Amino acid sequence: MNKLVFFLGPAGSGKTTLAKAVASRRKAAFFDMDILLRPAADVILAMHGLDITDRDSLEYKKLCRDLGYRITMDAALDNIGLNTDVFVVGPFTQEAATPDWISSELSRIGRSLLDVEVLVVMIELANEEVYRNRIQGRQSPLDDWKITHWDQFRSSLHSRNVQWPIPSSNVAYIDNSNPDLEATILLVDHFIYP
C-alpha cells in the first residue's frame, strides 16, 4: 500500500528540510508546492504587473494559490501506484480543514483511504521568535512580505488540526525547534516507517 505523506505547517517551520531528509533515506517521490508552482506564479504575477517575489498578498492568493495546490496534487497523485511512497510539502491550510478534501483527491485516480495510507506530519516551532529567526535566516525575497507585515503574518503560526477522516495515529505533531536536526529527522522517519 502506498503512503501519501503530507508535510504541513507554517512558513519557516522546516517542512521542506524534514521531508527532503526523510525522502532521501527512503527514496520517496517528493513534491514541494513552492517549487512546482514557482515558474507559473512568476509568469502569472508578471503578466498582471505584480511583484514576482510575492507569495503572501491577496492578489497572489487569488491568482496562484489554487493553481499551486492543483499542480502539486496532480503530480503527487500521478505517482500513487508506482510502488513508491509520495511526500507532499505545503501549508494546505484550507485543505486540511475540509473533511472530505483528501477523499475527493484520491477519488480523482480511483483510489480511497482504504488503499492509500495517508499520513500527516504537522511541523511546528516552539514560539513566534523561532519562526521569525528562521524566516529571516533564509534571506529569501519570497519572505519579504512576511517580515514587513509580521503582525498580519503571525496569525498563520497557530497550531491547527487536520479534519480528514484518518486515524489520529496517522497524524504526528512535530516540534522542529530542536537544533539537533538529525534527532528530529529520526523522529519523523520513525513515525512514517515504524
Side-chain angles (χ1 to χ4, degrees):
M1 179 184 291
N2 288 88
K3 293 179 187 287
L4 175 56
V5 185
F6 289 87
F7 286 76
L8 311 183
S13 60
K15 301 180 296 291
T16 301
T17 300
L18 289 174
K20 278 186 175 179
V22 178
S24 69
R25 294 168 183 236
R26 298 295 182 162
K27 305 303 179 204
F30 173 85
F31 300 99
D32 184 334
M33 188 186 75
D34 289 341
I35 299 299
L36 293 170
L37 178 60
R38 186 168 296 151
D42 289 353
V43 170
I44 291 167
L45 292 170
M47 286 173 51
H48 285 84
L50 300 169
D51 178 2
I52 65 167
T53 65
D54 174 20
R55 293 299 182 270
D56 295 285
S57 72
L58 291 176
E59 292 88 358
Y60 169 80
K61 288 179 171 59
K62 186 171 93 173
L63 293 168
C64 300
R65 184 198 185 280
D66 291 344
L67 175 64
Y69 285 102
R70 185 71 273 136
I71 290 169
T72 304
M73 287 308 298
D74 283 354
L77 292 169
D78 192 49
N79 280 266
I80 296 293
L82 294 180
N83 200 27
T84 187
D85 294 332
V86 177
F87 290 5
V88 180
V89 178
F92 287 83
T93 309
Q94 293 173 20
E95 293 74 13
T98 305
D100 63 348
W101 180 83
I102 190 62
S103 297
S104 176
E105 286 296 311
L106 291 172
S107 72
R108 293 168 63 90
I109 58 167
R111 298 294 184 101
S112 75
L113 290 168
L114 297 175
D115 50 21
V116 176
E117 183 182 11
V118 174
L119 300 167
V120 177
V121 182
M122 188 68 76
I123 311 296
E124 303 172 319
L125 296 177
N127 58 55
E128 183 181 322
E129 183 179 342
V130 179
Y131 280 106
R132 189 175 185 122
N133 289 339
R134 291 254 181 105
I135 290 169
Q136 287 177 321
R138 298 193 302 200
Q139 297 184 335
S140 168
L142 300 178
D143 291 329
D144 288 349
W145 186 94
K146 295 174 185 69
I147 299 303
T148 306
H149 300 88
W150 187 259
D151 284 342
Q152 186 177 345
F153 170 72
R154 66 196 292 246
S155 66
S156 70
L157 302 178
H158 60 81
S159 183
R160 56 195 175 98
N161 294 315
V162 176
Q163 299 301 318
W164 303 336
I166 58 176
S168 60
S169 59
N170 285 27
V171 181
Y173 289 84
I174 303 294
D175 181 347
N176 192 26
S177 305
N178 187 347
D180 182 359
L181 182 60
E182 184 62 26
T184 308
I185 292 167
L186 289 173
L187 183 67
V188 173
D189 185 85
H190 183 69
F191 164 69
I192 298 169
Y193 300 100

